[in-house]
Amino acid sequence: VRARFEGMPSTYGHVIVDEAQDLSLLQLRAVQRRSSGLSLVGDDAQRSNPNGIGLRAAARHLEVEAAEMATAYRMSAEIAEWLNDHARRHHIDAVRLVGIRPTGRRVHEPGPGADVHALVHELGSRWATVAVIDATDTWSHKGVEYDAVVVDTAGMHPAQVYLAASRAAHELVVV
């Protein structure tokens, strides 16, 4: 309506949709109708909307070419490989990450009963930003990066563990 009365553009040359995996087909079609070019960006493994159709399905429905960017630039190669293994074990539809920055720091999995506060204190002596992510606040960390992350897996679905672990750039502890 505004376009008709105020002369606002009703179409755009190109639209970029971030977190496209969380949008419904109706939402994506609405964006497509208003643009002559469309780029969908997202990660199906980080879908947080139960009504989101996922990036790969969106590309098929909208008849656009899907391209995967698998290089893990912001996280260590060790974390990328742990995420790949976790996704494979739990049948999570994730892009297979290619880690290009090995650090020599393996993902630490101390097991149940580990002292989370002691782990955070230890990580805090090495890194500026450390987060503890648990089942109650997993999705609030989506899109945020930390130097180190402690993932408290109690009560988490494997997809939540994947998202939480993917927030770590340099060091990851999974309890």
Side-chain angles (χ1 to χ4, degrees):
V1 174
R2 193 170 173 198
R4 288 187 181 157
F5 293 108
E6 295 179 20
M8 302 290 294
S10 59
T11 61
Y12 301 91
H14 196 90
V15 173
I16 300 170
V17 180
D18 192 13
E19 302 294 346
Q21 75 277 358
D22 286 330
L23 300 178
S24 70
L25 181 58
L26 178 66
Q27 291 168 321
L28 286 169
R29 286 199 186 280
V31 173
Q32 184 188 34
R33 281 193 309 270
R34 289 168 181 79
S35 66
S36 57
L38 180 63
S39 294
L40 306 177
V41 182
D43 181 352
D44 282 351
Q46 296 186 27
R47 193 177 317 163
S48 59
N49 177 359
N51 298 314
I53 64 170
L55 190 59
R56 290 183 184 104
R60 282 192 308 276
H61 285 295
L62 298 177
E63 299 177 356
V64 296
E65 185 177 338
E68 290 186 351
M69 299 183 333
T71 304
Y73 291 105
R74 66 168 188 80
M75 68 180 61
S76 73
E78 293 84 357
I79 294 169
E81 193 54 40
W82 188 92
L83 288 166
N84 290 335
D85 290 343
H86 179 77
R88 182 184 43 75
R89 283 192 315 271
H90 296 283
H91 308 288
I92 296 171
D93 184 16
V95 171
R96 179 146 178 82
L97 300 169
V98 178
I100 60 169
R101 196 172 43 88
T103 62
R105 291 188 186 273
R106 297 176 53 93
V107 173
H108 183 48
E109 298 181 76
D115 185 347
V116 172
H117 295 293
L119 291 166
V120 170
H121 181 72
E122 179 186 337
L123 291 169
S125 69
R126 291 192 293 275
W127 303 110
T129 58
V130 178
V132 176
I133 304 176
D134 62 25
T136 64
D137 70 345
T138 306
W139 301 108
S140 67
H141 294 275
K142 188 173 178 180
V144 182
E145 177 182 311
Y146 304 98
D147 291 322
V149 171
V150 176
V151 180
D152 183 351
T153 63
M156 280 188 171
H157 182 276
Q160 287 178 286
V161 175
Y162 184 94
L163 175 72
S166 71
R167 305 300 87 212
H170 308 295
E171 195 164 356
L172 173 62
V173 178
V174 180
V175 179

